[in-house]
């Protein structure tokens, strides 16, 4: 603190000095705002004109004032999580399943920055996601945002790669997303999303395989078709109706976003919002009627059999049979999804008890790239959050207890043998074995307790007599078997 006060005061007029010092000394940590501002502006002025050698236009960080203490809230910000080791083990277990399933299907992993330009997420359709954006101006006056989803970043990367990549691309990512959401069960302000996307395949075979990968994941973690299902529809259903009523194509995204709110808003509100887009009352009535359709046959009666919507959906259900997940999916015209960019098949994973929000969701977005100035490439994918699935697994008693595990505990029996224990630890680690090396002189009782806590497989003890012979004592903890072995033979 003294240093900060000194720098600031030497650059302030002498009459200010005593007041500033007095304020800083007498202030409690929470009352620092006035002197802080004084110091900050003084420092800024000094570098602005004072020949401090700063680049012109550079930003001057406020000086750090070391306070004696500042009592902090030890909880993370509302809606965010810490991952203590036990939480992290569970998270790794879940992410490993995401990653292994993606690799099983031949996808390559990608990642993007959590911080993106705000413009990437600004779409005109009035989506909820826009109001939930964590956005701000950075120190270079650029508007930036914490990503609320991964799809726009993926689209950006595909455009950037251009013709240097050969299609189709099959990419997956697991990344943190930020949305300023109202907190409910399974919805938070920060979550991780597993995404799988296929770029460059216009056929429904792509959507069919994506759903198959999610089913594979569910099966691996013990979830069955009687626990969860997928509601499937196609935005082309709405598109065909809107075309029939002469609604311009540019309104499509906006209409879908309004319709997606149907379960959250009173129906009159939905009708009013749809009315604002200029859609006729007749069209609105027909749209709302179609949304209640739950069978493909009924839909065919309304739309006629010739349209793309029916053809796509029929092909998807036929492929579901071939992939072997028919019992998991059902047609439901009310699934529209809240993101404006979907253009074809859309789907949502739901829990059959109806207690939780959507487990995952995705669909086809063939025209997203052109909204960023790129050439359109057919694309589809899904996002699968880490929060709802954990709730579901917990409820079903399927959440594993993932224990800390280490293969060896290495311990010196004598203070002078700490160096020798380090040599033993390195030899084992070089052979790929995990080692928890005891770094202090501890009684054996303590070492055994620790071994039990970290679920060590064996104890490697470095004692004086054995070590003189280049050997160590090994105790296999599960069997109690004990033996001496030369370090070079220790496997
Ligand atoms: P989304 O439906 O907005 O789609 O999110 C996908 C999934 O992310 C949700 O089903 C849910 O599991 C999880 N999720 C979303 N928001 C939250 C939250 N606040 N808290 C916890 N979990 C959440 C998308 O984001 C699309 N970009 C998915 C996609 C990828 N479509 C094509 N490719």
């Amino acid at each position: 603190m003294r240093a900060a006060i000194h720098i600031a005061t030497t650059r302030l007029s002498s009459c200010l000095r005593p007041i500033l010092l007095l304020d800083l000394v007498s202030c409690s940590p929470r009352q620092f705002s006035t002197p802080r501002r004084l110091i900050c502006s003084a420092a800024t002025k000094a570098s602005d004109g004072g020949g401090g050698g700063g680049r012109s236009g550079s930003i001057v960080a406020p000086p750090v004032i070391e306070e004696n203490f500042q009592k902090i809230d030890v909880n993370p910000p509302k809606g965010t999580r810490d991952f203590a080791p036990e939480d992290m083990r569970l998270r790794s277990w879940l992410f490993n399943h995401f990653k292994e399933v993606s690799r099983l299907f031949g996808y390559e992993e990608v990642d993007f920055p959590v911080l993106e330009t705000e413009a990437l997420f600004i779409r005109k359709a009035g989506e909820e996601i826009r109001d939930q954006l964590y956005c701000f101006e950075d120190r270079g006056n650029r508007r930036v945002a914490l990503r609320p989803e991964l799809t726009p970043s993926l689209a950006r990367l595909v455009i950037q790669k251009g013709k240097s990549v050969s299609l189709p691309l099959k990419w997956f990512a697991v990344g943190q997303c930020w949305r300023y959401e109202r907190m409910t069960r399974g919805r938070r302000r920060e979550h991780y999303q597993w995404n799988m996307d296929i770029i460059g395949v216009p056929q429904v075979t792509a959507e069919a395989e994506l759903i198959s990968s999610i089913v594979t994941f569910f099966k691996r973690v013990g979830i069955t078709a009687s626990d969860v299902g997928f509601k499937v529809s196609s935005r082309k259903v709405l598109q065909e109706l809107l075309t029939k009523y002469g609604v311009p194509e540019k309104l499509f995204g906006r209409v879908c976003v309004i319709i997606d709110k149907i379960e959250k808003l009173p129906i009159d509100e939905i009708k009013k919002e749809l009315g604002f887009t200029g859609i006729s009352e007749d069209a609105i009535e027909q749209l709302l009627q179609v949304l209640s359709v739950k069978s493909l046959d009924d839909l065919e009666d309304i739309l006629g059999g010739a349209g793309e919507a029916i053809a796509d959906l029929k092909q998807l259900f036929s492929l579901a049979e071939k992939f072997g997940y028919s019992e998991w999916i059902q047609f439901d015209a009310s699934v529209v999804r809240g993101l404006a960019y979907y253009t074809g098949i859309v789907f949502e994973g739901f829990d059959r008890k109806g207690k939780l929000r959507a487990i995952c969701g995705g669909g086809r977005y063939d025209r997203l790239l052109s909204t960023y100035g790129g050439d359109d490439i057919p694309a589809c994918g899904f996002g699968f959050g880490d929060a709802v699935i954990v709730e579901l697994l917990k409820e079903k008693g399927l959440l594993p207890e993932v224990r800390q595990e280490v293969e060896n505990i290495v311990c010196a029996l004598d203070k002078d043998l700490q160096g020798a224990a380090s040599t033993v630890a390195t030899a084992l680690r070089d052979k790929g074995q995990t080692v928890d090396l005891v770094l202090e002189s501890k009684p054996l009782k303590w070492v055994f307790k620790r071994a039990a806590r970290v679920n060590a497989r064996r104890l490697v003890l470095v004692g004086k007599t054995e070590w003189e012979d280049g050997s160590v004592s090994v105790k296999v903890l599960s069997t109690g078997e004990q033996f001496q072995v030369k370090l070079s033979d220790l496997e």
Side-chain angles (χ1 to χ4, degrees):
M1 183 155 93
R2 270 185 206 290
I5 294 167
H6 178 74
I7 293 163
T9 49
T10 51
R11 283 169 183 166
L12 286 171
S13 71
S14 56
C15 67
L16 261 179
R17 257 181 243 161
I19 304 166
L20 181 61
L21 264 175
L22 197 71
D23 274 354
L24 279 168
V25 171
S26 64
C27 268
S28 74
R30 289 195 183 280
Q31 293 170 313
F32 261 116
S33 59
T34 310
R36 230 190 233 292
R37 235 178 282 129
L38 272 172
I39 289 172
C40 196
S41 63
T44 311
K45 269 201 197 109
S47 83
D48 276 352
R55 275 188 296 135
S56 111
S58 69
I59 295 139
V60 180
V64 176
I65 303 170
E66 283 177 27
E67 294 160 6
N68 285 341
F69 73 93
Q70 188 193 4
K71 197 158 191 253
I72 54 151
D73 182 351
V74 292
N75 296 304
K78 189 171 178 193
T80 69
R81 294 164 290 179
D82 289 319
F83 289 89
E86 59 278 15
D87 308 314
M88 198 64 199
R89 286 199 294 274
L90 197 66
R91 179 175 126 181
S92 300
W93 169 84
L94 184 66
F95 287 14
N96 281 343
H97 277 296
F98 289 160
K99 292 178 182 192
E100 278 168 26
V101 169
S102 305
R103 294 199 182 103
L104 213 54
F105 280 71
Y107 285 59
E108 282 204 289
E109 188 165 12
V110 289
D111 198 8
F112 324 99
V114 177
L115 190 74
E116 287 275 14
T117 54
E118 185 186 29
L120 198 63
F121 306 111
I122 305 295
R123 295 180 287 259
K124 291 196 191 101
E127 297 159 309
E128 203 178 25
I129 206 168
R130 182 180 170 165
D131 302 328
Q132 298 169 338
L133 210 56
Y134 276 88
C135 49
F136 55 97
E137 203 162 281
D138 73 6
R139 285 161 175 261
N141 300 97
R142 299 170 202 92
R143 294 290 310 169
V144 288
L146 297 180
R147 62 184 181 198
E149 54 161 338
L150 306 177
T151 314
S153 304
L154 178 138
R156 181 178 58 63
L157 185 59
V158 170
I159 296 170
Q160 187 207 106
K161 287 277 170 200
K163 300 217 179 327
S164 71
V165 288
S166 45
L167 301 177
L169 302 171
K170 290 185 172 186
W171 284 356
F172 81 93
V174 180
Q176 195 182 34
C177 299
W178 292 82
R179 298 182 188 185
Y180 197 85
E181 283 241 27
R182 208 168 51 80
M183 304 262 293
T184 54
R185 193 172 171 207
R187 283 288 181 276
R188 36 186 56 262
R189 300 209 167 141
E190 145 282 311
H191 71 282
Y192 283 83
Q193 243 188 53
W194 168 38
N195 277 220
M196 284 176 76
D197 290 87
I198 303 177
I199 319 294
V201 177
Q203 288 88 356
V204 179
T205 45
E207 287 96 318
E209 193 191 50
L210 286 168
I211 297 176
S212 170
S213 56
I214 309 177
V215 170
T216 304
F217 165 83
F218 281 141
K219 286 185 185 166
R220 283 171 72 110
V221 297
I223 286 176
T224 65
S226 53
D227 303 319
V228 305
F230 293 90
K231 290 178 185 166
V232 180
S233 185
S234 170
R235 282 215 176 157
K236 287 179 187 168
V237 171
L238 297 180
Q239 177 85 73
E240 283 171 25
L241 275 180
L242 292 176
T243 309
K244 191 167 132 191
Y245 282 93
V247 178
E249 207 181 317
K250 65 176 190 317
L251 283 181
F252 180 57
R254 212 164 128 207
V255 170
C256 291
V257 168
I258 297 170
I259 288 178
D260 184 63
K261 295 182 202 156
I262 213 153
E263 277 172 13
K264 294 182 200 151
L265 294 179
I267 195 71
D268 286 344
E269 191 67 29
I270 296 284
K271 286 183 181 173
K272 208 161 93 191
E273 279 200 42
L274 285 172
F276 287 149
T277 66
I279 305 180
S280 70
E281 272 180 34
D282 262 9
I284 293 174
E285 287 307 327
Q286 173 104 62
L287 274 178
L288 296 178
Q289 197 201 329
V290 164
L291 292 176
S292 61
V293 173
K294 300 274 188 270
S295 100
L296 263 184
D297 290 339
D298 292 349
L299 185 71
E300 202 166 351
D301 286 345
I302 297 173
L303 295 180
E308 278 183 37
I310 296 286
D312 285 356
L313 287 163
K314 278 187 171 168
Q315 197 193 349
L316 181 68
F317 279 85
S318 154
L319 284 165
E321 218 177 291
K322 303 285 184 288
F323 273 110
Y325 62 80
S326 291
E327 54 178 349
W328 295 73
I329 68 166
Q330 64 196 58
F331 171 72
D332 187 333
S334 71
V335 174
V336 178
R337 304 203 22 81
L339 297 164
Y341 49 67
Y342 291 118
T343 52
I345 298 275
V346 277
F347 55 88
E348 248 171 41
F350 68 100
D351 76 297
R352 294 201 190 269
K353 286 199 176 140
K355 286 192 189 166
L356 302 165
R357 300 259 312 252
I359 305 170
C360 57
R364 176 163 290 279
Y365 53 99
D366 284 350
R367 291 195 287 275
L368 179 61
L369 267 57
S370 64
T371 64
Y372 296 129
D375 292 334
D376 274 329
I377 305 176
C380 57
F382 68 81
F384 189 119
D386 66 337
V388 182
I389 185 66
V390 167
E391 292 294 322
L392 184 65
L393 290 168
K394 229 187 263 172
E395 199 154 287
K396 301 215 66 66
L398 291 169
L399 215 52
E401 198 204 319
V402 194
R403 303 187 316 169
Q404 182 183 5
E405 268 169 19
V406 66
E407 284 162 313
N408 306 279
I409 289 215
V410 173
C411 178
L413 291 179
D414 190 318
K415 224 161 93 198
D416 298 341
L417 290 169
Q418 196 61 48
S422 310
T423 305
V424 174
T426 300
L428 282 167
R429 287 170 184 152
D430 284 350
K431 287 178 181 163
Q433 298 243 348
T434 52
V435 175
D436 177 14
L437 173 65
V438 179
L439 298 168
E440 301 153 284
S441 184
K442 290 284 183 191
L444 261 185
K445 200 172 155 200
W446 182 93
V447 180
F448 273 99
K449 258 195 191 160
R450 181 167 180 91
R453 190 159 58 78
V454 302
N455 301 298
R457 194 164 62 81
R458 59 187 191 176
L459 211 58
V460 180
L461 299 173
V462 187
K464 199 166 186 303
T465 330
E466 297 91 334
W467 189 244
E468 275 168 7
D469 179 39
S471 300
V472 291
S473 295
V474 175
K475 186 176 172 82
V476 180
L477 291 161
S478 55
T479 58
E481 183 196 355
Q482 214 164 332
F483 54 91
Q484 267 185 33
V485 62
K486 290 259 185 223
L487 180 57
S488 51
D489 296 333
L490 187 61
E491 291 296 327

